[in-house]
Amino acid sequence: MKVTVVGAGAVGASCAEYIALKNFAAEVCLLDIKEGYAEGKAMDLMQTASLNGFDTKVVGSTNDYSKTANSDVAVITSGIPRKPGMTREELIGTNAKIVKSVIDQLVEHSPEVTVIVVSNPMDTMAYLVHKATDLPKNRIIGMGGALDSARFKYRLAEALDCPISDVDGMVIGAHSDTGMVPLTRLATRNGVPASTFVDQARLDEVEQETRVGGATLTKLLGTSAWYAPGAAVSELVRAIAQDSGKMFPCSLYLEGEYGQNDICMGVPAIIGANGIEKIVEIELNEDEKAKFDEAADKVRQVNKALDV
Ligand SMILES: NC(=O)c1ccc[n+]([C@@H]2O[C@H](COP(=O)([O-])OP(=O)(O)OC[C@H]3O[C@@H](n4cnc5c(N)ncnc54)[C@H](O)[C@@H]3O)[C@@H](O)[C@H]2O)c1
């Protein structure tokens, strides 16, 4: 499998590193507009290969899309990250232009590609890719829910005072501070409802900590996070490479599912060789449905700023 990662910044480099470390891809092409930057990161990563024991070939490219030709998967991380106090939605003006120019060039060189959109505001950028290309909807995946669910599990394990591997849970909705819908009702520790271990007030705190998970890190780091985003992307790419059928919440183009149309939002999906193999519809309770619909209204507002 050949994977292109556009944007060799914090998140892009982390994606490339985790993909290489997991050793399932033949090649990762890292591309950036900054002269020599992607080549430098690729060379540095290749010099870890004998130390970390991977065979994936990592190459760099300064905006030369011919090097990305015939990619099976392309990850779009190019664009500006938020600074402390900013929302993801505030990035739209700059990032929409970048994502539009990137997707046109990617598809020209890899018409069969499956695209994973990471740049923020991610749900709107995934929608932009859907509108700006003829790619089938199963080949456009917005990455947010896989990361938000990992953050949810981290907070849940903290509340339950247990190892993270004991807990399970999922976040659907929008990839934004107010639009995430952590499904606390369905969260478990080894199959036992999380509510058995902690009261609702603590679970409400977990929900809130999850929603602002990215903002908390941005405040600490001065820019947005990269390890967990890179790891989340690498797991999606691996599910495609290995046709594993693993389920992740992803931002997908909805046509009636979850009562929504003509929008990309986070819902559970089965990921395999064809990208989205299946959207999984689970029954939401009234409160979850109301939160999901409210998040959809906000995503639609942001989508209106797009020129597609
Ligand atoms: N979806 C998620 O869960 C998630 C998580 C974290 C970050 N993000 C988003 O990912 C994006 C990248 O974040 P980061 O921390 O890596 O930022 P960064 O500034 O470290 O890296 C961005 C890179 O994109 C490059 N770039 C800009 N325009 C380009 C173009 N036209 N072609 C190719 N490369 C271009 C820049 O040169 C830079 O190296 C941001 O929009 C951020 O908000 C999303």
Side-chain angles (χ1 to χ4, degrees), residues 6-13 31-34 37 41 61 63 65 76-83 88 91 94-95 97-99 101-102 105 117-123 125 142-145 147-148 151 175 223-226 228-230 232-233:
V6 180
V11 175
L31 181 144
D32 204 285
I33 40 162
K34 260 190 258 169
Y37 194 57
K41 292 253 177 142
S61 163
N63 222 24
Y65 279 81
I76 304 182
T77 77
S78 46
I80 50 168
R82 57 182 171 158
K83 295 262 174 275
R88 295 175 179 91
L91 307 172
T94 307
N95 286 356
K97 284 191 197 83
I98 293 174
V99 170
S101 89
V102 165
Q105 298 176 81
V117 184
V118 180
S119 309
N120 277 317
M122 184 278 295
D123 298 291
M125 293 302 110
M143 195 295 289
L147 168 65
D148 300 333
R151 288 177 172 161
H175 181 59
T223 184
S224 66
W226 53 89
V233 169

Side-chain angles (χ1 to χ4, degrees), residues 224-239:
S224 66
W226 53 89
Y227 293 122
V233 169
S234 72
E235 281 302 283
L236 290 180
V237 180
R238 174 152 70 173

Side-chain angles (χ1 to χ4, degrees), residues 72 92 99 169 220 228 247:
D72 302 289
I92 187 166
V99 170
L220 291 168
M247 184 167 85

Side-chain angles (χ1 to χ4, degrees), residues 1 3 39 71 105 120 283 305:
M1 157 175 281
V3 185
E39 287 86 340
S71 291
Q105 298 176 81
N120 277 317
E283 189 127 352

Side-chain angles (χ1 to χ4, degrees), residues 1 73 114 138-139 141 236-248 269-278:
M1 157 175 281
V73 176
T114 295
N138 58 301
R139 297 207 170 278
I141 305 174
L236 290 180
V237 180
R238 174 152 70 173
I240 297 168
Q242 299 178 339
D243 194 19
S244 70
K246 212 169 148 59
M247 184 167 85
F248 297 91
I270 306 300
I271 308 295
N274 298 305
I276 310 299
E277 302 286 354
K278 186 175 185 284

